[in-house]
Amino acid sequence: MTFSLKTDQSQNLFVRQPFSYGSLRLLYQRCRESELQSSPCQDYAKIAGNADDTTVCLSVCDGVGGSYQGDYAARYLGDAIVDWLAQMPLGHQDNHALANELVNQMAQWSHDSHADLNRMEVASSTPALVREVLEETRSGYGSETVFLACRIDLLHTEQQGDQTVQPANMLMCWMGNVSAQIFTASDTFTAFNQPGDDRNRWSTARGLRGSVAVRFLHVKDLHRLIIYTDGLVDVGELIWRMDDTELCDHARNTLAMPSNDDMTVLDIQLMRR
Amino acid sequence: MYTQPASTLTPAVIIYLIDISDSMNEPCGSTTKIAMVNLALRAAIKDMVRRSMRDGILQRRYKLAVVAYNNNVQDVLGGVRDLPELLQNGVPDLMASGATDTAAGFTQVESLLSRQLPELQQCPAPLVCHLTDGLFTTADPTSIVRRIRAMTVIDGPVLLENIYVADGMLRRPAQDWQQWEGVLKPNDLADDYARFLFRLSSPLPETYRQNINNYGYHLQSGAAMFFPGSTSDLIRLAFVVSAATQLK
């Protein structure tokens, strides 16, 4: 993997950068509470391309605030699932077999990560009742996250009349309310995993809570992929039309709202060649 | 109404008004009423802690006051305190003695709210959770309660919850409190003082009802913020209601 970017959970970030087949835009903004407390963002995003960027694997995770250190689960799963996606063989896959394999992987990741989490000490200055809640949350729920991860295999471009189209195979998997939009034209998208699913999640203590969705897709002409967390749910349908300034302004303005949450947008646009 | 989330920017204010008259020392199951109240208060504060945690850090999403009354009124925390500040000093443990000056207790609550209200306009509507086990022995508090319930912020008027610690007040006793519908009308109650407190209570906001029912309860739409405190389970439920402010 040569092209790689992952978020630092202690820093806000806005970046637009080119890669071999297009450009990447990433907005990563901590919520107001985290900024005030200098605590980590509970979202996490990672993207990695292979040597020639024809395969791109990515994850966007949103740690569950009420769980034990949701930022930990988001980071752990975000890294693990990108690695898992990257080693998958190319070509068409059976959705059911893939789902089974992923379920087994996620169970193993729970086992490994929860042991790690249990070794972390609660600060000695923590008030007794807070310690009690933290320890109950750690043993009962562990660290939890929702996520959406994707592998994109870009195929050879095709000529259709005077148009060049970019076919792609995509493998998508998700739990909970991280949303995606797959654009098959500059202004036409199909929404995956509409907002509102707050039941399905991955837990270090309990493994899968709910079910993981896995879809293999062949897209005849992939233009763009947008993935965003629920901190931006109120403008989810509009993100594709926002330029960089509008997107950053919206994120900053949202911080003044009582209901503000961590915000992540990962926006990959493929160039037409 | 009642949809504003409890957040660091807009903390929820909850005032517990607790009758600590001598009758609260009476037995209740295997313990006393006041011991049961102390346990329920601790459980409610623990719920608030749970609802305020982010990244292992307790956020300032709740502000609390505890007003205890018998012949006198004690402002137990010395005003309205942030939850983290309260926990540094530990959860208060109340002792019971004396008579029941309910009106004086509500007067203190009115005074606390009057001072706080201008700062709370963007916050969730404050909630007053009153717990008593018997009839007031001094003035009727009705007019003060009406003034409190007329206080308002953008989210809605101040909420008043009443918990009446007594037996046999429900005409249809519940077999399973998890399945209980709540008190919907005065005729559901067999006791005059229970009906008096019911009429002083706010309707249970829909957001609170949904948040409570997420814990496995089945309170019905139209129920009042009135709870019989006849068992520790019910007192626990009633105190959980007090912390069931909408979260983001």
Side-chain angles (χ1 to χ4, degrees):
Chain A
M1 294 285 183
T2 52
F3 168 55
S4 181
L5 177 68
K6 61 182 178 183
T7 54
D8 173 348
Q9 289 173 298
S10 66
Q11 304 277 333
N12 297 331
L13 176 69
F14 180 82
V15 63
R16 178 183 276 282
Q17 69 179 64
F19 71 107
S20 308
Y21 292 91
S23 69
L24 162 77
R25 173 166 81 151
L26 175 66
L27 169 90
Y28 186 71
Q29 171 66 56
R30 281 189 295 173
C31 71
R32 188 81 183 119
E33 280 184 344
S34 291
E35 287 194 332
L36 288 170
Q37 306 266 4
S38 299
S39 60
C41 185
Q42 296 192 322
D43 285 1
Y44 180 75
K46 180 171 181 174
I47 179 165
N50 66 351
D52 60 2
D53 285 349
T54 51
T55 294
V56 176
C57 298
L58 56 94
S59 63
V60 175
C61 301
D62 180 353
V64 176
S67 72
Y68 184 80
Q69 298 190 356
D71 60 295
Y72 174 88
R75 188 173 60 252
Y76 186 98
L77 187 70
D79 285 340
I81 207 160
V82 164
D83 291 346
W84 179 78
L85 286 168
Q87 56 76 46
M88 296 293 295
L90 289 171
H92 287 267
Q93 301 286 339
D94 174 75
N95 286 342
H96 185 68
L98 276 172
N100 281 343
E101 188 178 334
L102 182 55
V103 165
N104 291 337
Q105 274 296 329
M106 292 177 85
Q108 183 60 44
W109 293 334
S110 291
H111 180 267
D112 296 346
S113 58
H114 199 66
D116 191 25
L117 202 66
N118 275 334
R119 284 191 287 272
M120 295 180 188
E121 295 284 334
V122 176
S124 57
S125 57
T126 307
L129 199 57
V130 177
R131 173 181 291 274
E132 203 175 302
V133 168
L134 283 173
E135 288 176 350
E136 284 173 9
T137 307
R138 176 161 61 180
S139 61
Y141 299 94
S143 184
E144 296 185 335
T145 190
V146 297
F147 72 94
L148 189 146
C150 178
R151 169 170 163 157
I152 307 168
D153 291 310
L154 296 174
L155 307 176
H156 292 299
T157 54
E158 294 170 6
Q159 204 64 32
Q160 290 187 355
D162 58 351
Q163 300 281 315
T164 305
V165 298
Q166 175 62 73
N169 288 334
M170 299 179 71
L171 172 59
M172 299 185 67
C173 43
W174 68 87
M175 293 184 85
N177 55 1
V178 180
S179 303
Q181 296 160 348
I182 296 175
F183 286 74
T184 50
S186 59
D187 58 357
T188 307
F189 67 82
T190 302
F192 270 80
N193 198 25
Q194 300 277 20
D197 174 5
D198 59 358
R199 298 281 177 195
N200 296 306
R201 56 187 63 177
W202 176 76
S203 154
T204 60
R206 298 183 181 188
L208 296 183
R209 295 189 65 193
S211 57
V212 59
V214 177
R215 298 282 183 279
F216 179 82
L217 308 166
H218 175 72
V219 183
K220 287 181 180 165
D221 190 11
L222 179 63
H223 280 240
R224 188 173 182 182
L225 171 67
I226 296 177
I227 302 176
Y228 60 95
T229 56
D230 65 346
L232 285 157
V233 70
D234 56 332
V235 290
E237 304 268 300
L238 305 173
I239 290 170
W240 68 278
R241 288 199 296 210
M242 291 178 160
D243 64 27
D244 296 351
T245 306
E246 288 170 327
L247 186 60
C248 292
D249 285 351
H250 177 80
R252 266 193 298 275
N253 293 338
T254 300
L255 292 180
M257 310 294 288
S259 57
N260 77 89
D261 198 356
D262 296 329
M263 293 169 255
T264 302
V265 176
L266 185 55
D267 181 1
I268 296 171
Q269 283 182 271
L270 299 173
M271 65 179 135
R272 305 281 94 192
R273 291 170 296 154
Chain B
M1 284 202 299
Y2 305 116
T3 55
Q4 185 71 312
S7 72
T8 307
L9 292 175
T10 55
V13 169
I14 302 171
I15 300 178
Y16 291 100
L17 175 62
I18 312 284
D19 173 356
I20 54 163
S21 62
D22 191 42
S23 56
M24 290 293 287
N25 288 317
E26 289 170 3
C28 188
S30 59
T31 182
T32 62
K33 293 175 184 174
I34 193 70
M36 214 158 66
V37 168
N38 280 323
L39 282 174
L41 183 60
R42 185 182 190 280
I45 291 172
K46 189 173 171 182
D47 270 341
M48 288 177 222
V49 170
R50 196 175 285 117
R51 290 163 64 86
S52 301
M53 294 304 295
R54 185 186 163 88
D55 292 322
I57 298 171
L58 186 61
Q59 308 293 329
R60 296 175 187 276
R61 294 179 184 166
Y62 287 93
K63 286 170 172 274
L64 277 81
V66 179
V67 176
Y69 68 90
N70 44 25
N71 315 63
N72 302 304
V73 179
Q74 299 170 38
D75 182 352
V76 177
L77 304 178
V80 178
R81 300 285 170 227
D82 280 330
L83 185 56
E85 195 184 349
L86 180 156
L87 292 174
Q88 290 300 332
N89 300 317
V91 177
D93 195 35
L94 304 171
M95 313 275 276
S97 67
T100 313
D101 191 350
T102 309
F106 274 112
T107 300
Q108 176 70 18
V109 169
E110 184 181 25
S111 165
L112 273 173
L113 279 173
S114 299
R115 288 200 298 273
Q116 292 282 323
L117 217 58
E119 296 169 18
L120 302 178
Q121 285 304 309
Q122 304 297 324
C123 297
L127 183 143
V128 179
C129 177
H130 172 227
L131 179 141
T132 183
D133 73 332
L135 191 61
F136 47 85
T137 53
T138 57
D140 182 339
T142 302
S143 60
I144 311 163
V145 170
R146 286 193 179 132
R147 288 200 300 273
I148 289 172
R149 285 193 53 192
M151 292 177 170
T152 190
V153 297
I154 293 166
D155 191 41
V158 170
L159 291 166
L160 178 69
E161 178 185 5
N162 277 296
I163 307 165
Y164 182 31
V165 184
D167 290 322
M169 76 185 81
L170 292 177
R171 288 197 194 279
R172 283 190 305 138
Q175 302 301 314
D176 176 359
W177 293 113
Q178 293 270 328
Q179 301 299 321
W180 183 56
E181 297 180 345
V183 181
L184 297 160
K185 52 189 188 299
N187 281 348
D188 292 344
L189 299 163
D191 177 298
D192 284 343
Y193 194 56
R195 282 194 290 270
F196 171 81
L197 291 171
F198 171 86
R199 290 192 182 96
L200 295 183
S201 305
S202 302
L204 181 66
E206 185 59 17
T207 46
Y208 277 69
R209 191 179 73 85
Q210 287 173 6
N211 291 335
I212 285 300
N213 287 350
N214 283 340
Y215 286 87
Y217 293 101
H218 289 82
L219 296 174
Q220 293 298 299
S221 185
M225 294 189 103
F226 172 87
F227 294 88
S230 49
T231 68
S232 57
D233 284 350
L234 267 178
I235 293 183
R236 163 102 175 101
L237 164 63
F239 273 73
V240 168
V241 167
S242 69
T245 325
Q246 187 72 352
L247 286 181
K248 65 180 181 179

